Amino acid sequence: MDYEHTCMIRGDGGQRIRAILDQICNKWTLLIVATLDRGTLRFTELHQQIPGISQRMLTLTLRNLERDGLVARSVFAEVPPRVEYALTVTGKSLIPPALALAGWAIEHVPHIEASRAAYETRSA
Amino acid sequence: MDYEHTCMIRGDGGQRIRAILDQICNKWTLLIVATLDRGTLRFTELHQQIPGISQRMLTLTLRNLERDGLVARSVFAEVPPRVEYALTVTGKSLIPPALALAGWAIEHVPHIEASRAAYETRSA
DNA sequence: CGGGATCCAATACGATACTG
DNA sequence: CAGTATCGTATTGGATCCCG
């Protein structure tokens, strides 16, 4: 393992990096990006496919993703209105590292939950 | 790219996965893990090497990491007291995927910041 | 030295109601 | 359909003081 490169997270320019990581790793961002990885979706379709998200948070998170250039928003002048969301090239490029982290989480869920349970019983 | 596997983030067991991801991706966790990747450190050393962190958040985050089995805490019965923190094997295994995400962030910082700037001027 | 306890501000988030 | 506006709550995190 290349330990010298952990400075990527720690380094001095890390303030900008961390600001971006914080935004990626919030409650809904990864979930929305992963959902859009399947293809273009409309607002209501996204709302249905992401259980538990409120309209407000879906809108806010999509606006942030659009603002950061990870998601493209297309408005069609129709009645009823139609708005489609799709990942940009940059947005798609986030999928592999996101999956790496998700893979790690899945792989270590048993160990982590066991460690948590042991910790609880110790403090009880 | 293996699009079918984005269900790892979206899937039904995703509640547990997301809970863990949320904890990993908070403001300080990755930074502390990356710092400990260099080797064992004492509380004060950690505090110094992570600029901007408050004593409170350092303590809280370390407790969570210990609870989840990512960090080992060793207390030495000396005067003055000495406490050392080190990554466990599980903790070390988090480094590669964390670096993957950090690498993505570094690579796309220019594009994201440019997109943000353009977005601001549009709404101005 | 290594924290715990407490107080306070900022923010994230959900629920609800309303609109072009 | 695809939001916006407003309100209230919950969570997060910093500052400060204290203690073994």
Side-chain angles (χ1 to χ4, degrees):
Chain A
M1 201 58 48
D2 201 340
Y3 291 94
E4 297 178 9
H5 287 72
T6 52
C7 60
M8 295 202 308
I9 303 177
R10 300 194 356 89
D12 211 40
Q15 301 313 109
R16 285 152 70 205
I17 310 295
R18 288 227 343 266
I20 290 181
L21 285 183
D22 284 357
Q23 188 148 26
I24 297 304
C25 296
N26 64 25
K27 192 169 182 180
W28 300 111
T29 299
L30 277 185
L31 205 51
I32 291 180
V33 170
T35 303
L36 283 177
D37 190 40
R38 314 310 226 358
T40 299
L41 287 175
R42 302 177 60 170
F43 186 87
T44 305
E45 292 170 338
L46 266 172
H47 199 185
Q48 290 165 352
Q49 294 202 21
I50 300 179
I53 195 172
S54 65
Q55 223 173 32
R56 170 189 155 86
M57 288 318 295
L58 181 54
T59 301
L60 281 180
T61 310
L62 283 172
R63 287 291 177 279
N64 284 333
L65 286 170
E66 186 195 359
R67 170 191 142 121
D68 288 355
L70 303 189
V71 159
R73 179 171 178 265
S74 307
V75 184
F76 298 86
E78 306 175 354
V79 178
R82 184 160 58 99
V83 179
E84 289 185 349
Y85 293 91
L87 289 186
T88 62
V89 174
T90 305
K92 283 183 190 294
S93 72
L94 175 58
I95 298 285
L99 286 183
L101 202 64
W104 179 90
I106 290 171
E107 192 175 344
H108 293 88
V109 155
H111 181 272
I112 289 176
E113 290 188 344
S115 179
R116 258 182 224 192
Y119 192 90
E120 301 298 335
T121 57
R122 266 202 304 280
S123 50
Chain B
M1 201 57 47
D2 202 340
Y3 290 95
E4 297 177 9
H5 286 71
T6 52
C7 60
M8 293 201 310
I9 303 176
R10 300 191 358 89
D12 210 41
Q15 301 312 108
R16 285 152 71 206
I17 309 294
R18 287 227 344 264
I20 289 181
L21 285 183
D22 283 359
Q23 187 147 27
I24 297 304
C25 294
N26 64 26
K27 192 168 183 182
W28 300 111
T29 300
L30 279 185
L31 204 52
I32 290 180
V33 170
T35 303
L36 283 176
D37 190 42
R38 317 313 229 353
T40 299
L41 286 176
R42 301 176 62 170
F43 186 86
T44 306
E45 293 170 338
L46 266 172
H47 199 187
Q48 291 163 352
Q49 294 202 21
I50 300 178
I53 194 172
S54 66
Q55 223 173 33
R56 171 189 156 87
M57 289 318 295
L58 181 55
T59 300
L60 282 178
T61 310
L62 282 171
R63 287 291 175 279
N64 284 334
L65 286 170
E66 185 195 0
R67 171 191 141 122
D68 288 355
L70 303 188
V71 160
R73 179 171 178 264
S74 308
V75 184
F76 298 86
E78 305 173 354
V79 177
R82 184 161 58 101
V83 179
E84 288 185 350
Y85 293 92
L87 289 185
T88 64
V89 174
T90 305
K92 283 182 190 297
S93 73
L94 175 57
I95 298 285
L99 286 184
L101 202 64
W104 178 89
I106 291 171
E107 193 175 345
H108 294 89
V109 155
H111 181 273
I112 289 177
E113 290 188 344
S115 179
R116 258 182 224 191
Y119 192 89
E120 302 297 337
T121 57
R122 266 202 305 278
S123 50

